[in-house]
């Protein structure tokens, strides 16, 4: 099965940094990344393919880029997050030990295969795989789910840190993670940092997008209360509406500030222990942070938590539970609010990298 999975990986993924389809745009940034990873800018496709087996078989967490912002809907640009954040991690956190498995191959016009007709799927299969009759999916979310399902089947203990992309990419990442954990008899919960609830049922007729992904992963949890949301503040409805309607738990930004991050985290730990939770997945939307720390994103929001509060909560949770999956999403490095006073996109990238580093370290500690 391993040889088959290597072939799947080579088809569904591409080298790190290449997930955004371009000719010359960001060439220097891509070459900088390739030079850091492979010590050269030549023959990257071959070097990446040659590294796949080692990256899959070592004990390090995997880093996966999902360079899709097709599921966004306010301000695009999160497709550049994986490339920019990778370079920031290498520059500012060289001590981190992980294996970069590459990027999901993204056709930027497509979100999920279920929205496509047969003719479009066949045409896109021909473009991606030179085979109209291929069985592989063609849309970013479908490709991500297929890769993760195959990864967890072949390497059930592998830890995956993913960089988006808009928050819709968390739908296949979390869905696949939860299904895999359930097969292993592991009880998992989701810790979700965000300014927004992402609990729409649909948006403009589309059921899976950046504002609805949480709704559609709830059936894969043992209980909807095992989705715990932190940093919420931008919502057209009261907290009680979301908790009563969907059964989730929320800690709005004002509560975290008033009670303190440590007290909120301790309360979450006590609840998760009572529920006999074994492992955690952390999904971090950068707009959970106040806009003064993270304005290079599609929907920067005032009144958010600060990076230290987020890091404190993650560290407290990581001391008590294994964090075995995580993602960082919605960093849009070419977008920032007009009124920011900090240098952008560097401020957003630096705090995003700092939180990502904590999560990657937690994944490393959770290896077994």
């Amino acid at each position: 099965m391993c040889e088959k999975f290597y072939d799947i990986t080579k088809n569904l993924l591409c080298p790190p940094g290449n997930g955004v389809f371009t000719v010359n745009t960001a060439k220097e940034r891509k070459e900088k990344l390739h030079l850091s990873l492979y010590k050269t800018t030549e023959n990257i496709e071959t070097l990446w393919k040659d590294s796949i087996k080692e990256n899959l078989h070592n004990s390090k967490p995997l880093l996966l880029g999902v360079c899709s912002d097709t599921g966004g809907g306010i301000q695009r640009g999160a497709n550049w997050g994986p490339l920019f954040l990778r370079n920031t991690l290498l520059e500012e956190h060289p001590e981190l030990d992980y294996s970069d498995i590459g990027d999901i191959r993204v056709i930027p016009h497509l979100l999920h295969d279920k929205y496509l007709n047969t003719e479009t799927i066949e045409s896109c299969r021909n473009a991606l795989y030179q085979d109209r009759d291929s069985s592989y999916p063609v849309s970013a979310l479908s490709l991500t789910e297929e890769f993760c399902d195959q990864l967890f089947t072949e390497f059930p203990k592998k830890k995956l840190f993913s960089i988006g992309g808009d928050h819709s990419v968390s739908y296949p990442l979390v869905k696949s993670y939860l299904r895999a954990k359930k097969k292993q008899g592991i009880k998992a919960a989701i810790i979700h940092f965000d300014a927004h609830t992402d609990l729409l049922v649909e948006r403009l007729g589309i059921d899976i997008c950046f504002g609805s992904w949480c709704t559609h992963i709830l059936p894969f949890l043992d209980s909807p209360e095992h989705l715990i949301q932190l940093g919420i503040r931008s919502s057209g409805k009261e907290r009680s509406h979301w908790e009563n309607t969907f059964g989730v738990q929320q800690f709005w930004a004002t509560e975290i500030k008033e009670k303190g991050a440590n007290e909120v985290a301790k309360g979450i730990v006590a609840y998760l222990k009572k529920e006999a939770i074994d492992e955690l997945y952390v999904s971090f939307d950068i707009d959970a942070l106040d806009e003064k720390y993270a304005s290079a994103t599609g929907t920067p929001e005032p009144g958010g938590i600060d990076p230290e509060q987020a890091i404190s909560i993650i560290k407290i949770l990581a001391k008590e539970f294994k964090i075995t999956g995580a993602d960082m999403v919605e960093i849009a490095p070419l977008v920032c609010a007009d009124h920011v006073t900090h240098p952008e996109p560097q401020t957003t990238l630096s705090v995003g990298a700092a939180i990502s580093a904590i999560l990657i370290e937690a994944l490393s500690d959770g290896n077994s």
Side-chain angles (χ1 to χ4, degrees), residues 8-267:
I8 290 171
T9 301
K10 292 172 186 177
N11 277 284
L12 302 189
L13 272 57
C14 61
N18 288 7
V20 178
F21 181 74
T22 63
V23 180
N24 291 317
T25 305
K27 179 182 178 183
E28 294 80 7
R29 292 182 184 273
K30 290 184 179 181
E31 289 183 344
K32 180 180 178 182
L33 175 63
H34 295 156
L35 192 60
S36 296
L37 294 175
Y38 305 111
K39 313 308 178 189
T40 181
T41 59
E42 304 295 328
N43 302 314
I44 296 304
E45 185 85 17
T46 299
L47 292 171
W48 166 69
K49 288 180 179 178
D50 289 345
S51 72
I52 288 174
K53 287 187 179 180
E54 165 60 22
N55 288 341
L56 288 170
H57 283 281
N58 65 36
S59 61
K60 303 174 185 178
L62 288 179
L63 190 152
L64 175 70
V66 189
C67 308
S68 172
D69 60 4
T70 310
I74 304 294
Q75 179 84 272
R76 299 295 175 87
N79 59 327
W80 289 110
L83 173 60
F84 281 67
L85 187 58
R86 274 185 172 106
N87 277 326
T88 306
L89 280 169
L90 289 167
E91 289 172 0
E92 299 184 5
H93 301 275
E95 76 288 351
L96 289 176
D97 196 17
Y98 57 87
S99 294
D100 199 325
I101 195 68
D103 286 339
I104 293 292
R105 299 179 74 182
V106 172
I107 296 178
H109 322 292
L110 309 183
L111 180 60
H112 195 286
D113 280 16
K114 72 177 184 176
Y115 302 128
L116 305 178
N117 59 31
T118 301
E119 182 180 359
T120 300
I121 290 175
E122 289 179 353
S123 178
C124 292
R125 280 175 173 163
N126 192 53
L128 287 179
Y129 316 117
Q130 294 73 58
D131 181 3
R132 299 180 70 89
D133 298 320
S134 168
S135 62
Y136 294 131
V138 296
S139 306
L141 302 193
S142 302
L143 282 159
T144 302
E145 185 172 339
E146 177 70 14
F147 172 73
C148 291
D149 283 349
Q150 297 290 343
L151 172 68
F152 294 137
T153 297
E154 190 66 24
F155 299 94
K157 292 187 177 181
K158 204 67 176 168
K159 313 300 187 299
L160 190 62
F161 178 75
S162 304
I163 306 174
D166 73 75
H167 218 153
S168 70
V169 307
S170 295
Y171 168 73
L173 292 168
V174 174
K175 178 182 176 183
S176 184
Y177 170 89
L178 289 173
R179 286 192 304 208
K181 294 302 176 184
K182 193 158 287 189
K183 285 181 183 178
Q184 298 168 47
I186 294 170
K187 195 172 183 181
I190 308 302
I191 305 299
H192 170 212
F193 288 86
D194 206 316
H196 314 93
T197 68
D198 294 356
L199 285 169
L200 298 176
V201 175
E202 63 176 32
R203 187 174 187 269
L204 299 175
I206 301 298
D207 59 342
I208 300 171
C209 67
F210 75 134
S212 64
W213 73 273
C214 280
T215 305
H216 300 289
I217 58 96
L218 291 177
F220 301 96
L221 289 162
D222 286 352
S223 166
E225 289 186 343
H226 297 163
L227 172 63
I228 299 176
Q229 302 184 307
L230 300 112
I232 307 297
R233 59 196 183 279
S234 179
S235 169
K237 299 182 184 297
E238 297 295 323
R239 170 178 172 174
S240 58
H241 165 80
W242 302 110
E243 291 189 327
N244 294 337
T245 302
F246 293 95
V248 303
Q249 292 191 69
Q250 294 181 342
F251 295 89
W252 285 41
T254 51
E255 181 179 359
I256 295 172
K257 292 176 185 178
E258 290 168 3
K259 288 186 176 179
N262 289 1
E263 287 304 308
V264 169
K266 289 175 183 176

